[in-house]
Amino acid sequence: MNKKSGLLLVFCVGVFAACQNETESSTVDSVVSEKSSSVAAEAEESVAKTIIFSSGVRDGITRGDKYNYFALKGTAEGYDQVTTIIEGTAVDYRDTNNVWEFDYPYQGPSIKTEITFTTDTSVLYGDTGIDLDDLAPESYVTITFLPNDNPTITPPAFTVNEGEAQNFLSEDSGINELVTVMEIREIDALEALNPLGEKLLEVEIQYVNNGSVDTYIAPNYFSALDGEGKTLPLRYTHFWLNAVAPGESFTDTVYFDITSEGPYAIQFFDGAWIDSEEAGGTINDI
């Protein structure tokens, strides 16, 4: 018995020592990891960035205004263009107008969102699957958008019911577009789109170019509103950019996160199509 007790004591002491060593090792590894992260963060901060914000950003944060838009101004000296990246997708760009400044007004989604701005010329509007680690550290800056929880809701330029079409005509520019919301439906979330919740709003769009000039269209030309008129987040992981020649057409889908209850409204983004006489519109019940 004494021998067995002695062996058990030795075994317990051995286990305790091993655990203590493992704990100490984990602690050391944790400290080293924290120091490495801190050093990396300091190194990142010390990189001379090509984009410097002069307004609209404070402590790396931009906030939605009363309409839940954000407006940024900054400098990008020596570069002709600044491209915006959300969820690894190049969702828009702004020319710097050869004076190395840019303004970026944008209707941010009604959720906290990481937004990256870059001058890297390898990034093109419409690109998906962009890995920031592949970009030069000095070429991009990431900020956080914090939405206004109680924004002022303004009437959309156009809101149509499922199956209805809207024509956009500008004789001076040769633009004649026919846009139809073919279908609006709730679906189970698609894992590949990195959804926020368990449901998505799937919207099928048909676009016809009846004009005399090439046109461009992308998912962020549309927005979806919940029952209170607040903007639903667009799933940028499903992004397409179509150049449509005169006489051509296409049909594609747009996805929005369902973060609140309907009935939902699909509207044409004011920045793309504006006709004040048609403001108001109706709600799309699903």
Side-chain angles (χ1 to χ4, degrees), residues 39-68:
V39 170
E42 290 178 2
E44 174 70 14
E45 290 178 358
S46 67
V47 173
K49 300 291 186 177
T50 57
I51 297 174
I52 301 175
F53 296 109
S54 57
S55 67
V57 179
R58 183 173 182 179
D59 297 327
I61 294 174
T62 186
R63 299 179 182 275
D65 66 8
K66 68 177 183 177
Y67 301 108
N68 226 3

Side-chain angles (χ1 to χ4, degrees), residues 175-206:
I175 292 176
N176 188 344
E177 305 167 299
L178 184 66
V179 183
T180 307
V181 177
M182 303 293 290
E183 187 177 16
I184 306 168
R185 64 191 184 106
E186 288 188 20
I187 65 170
D188 292 333
L190 304 174
E191 186 176 350
L193 300 186
N194 299 318
L196 297 177
E198 298 180 354
K199 294 287 185 179
L200 290 173
L201 197 66
E202 182 181 64
V203 182
E204 185 177 349
I205 303 291
Q206 182 189 74

Side-chain angles (χ1 to χ4, degrees), residues 229-246:
K230 295 182 179 180
T231 305
L232 297 181
L234 175 68
R235 281 289 88 209
Y236 290 102
T237 42
H238 179 76
F239 195 87
W240 38 264
L241 173 63
N242 290 329
V244 190

Side-chain angles (χ1 to χ4, degrees), residues 128-140:
T128 59
I130 300 169
D131 187 345
L132 298 183
D133 289 338
D134 294 336
L135 307 181
E138 71 278 3
S139 71
Y140 69 89

Side-chain angles (χ1 to χ4, degrees), residues 249-263:
S249 64
F250 74 91
T251 300
D252 213 321
T253 52
V254 183
Y255 294 94
F256 302 90
D257 286 297
I258 294 179
T259 54
S260 51
E261 296 181 355

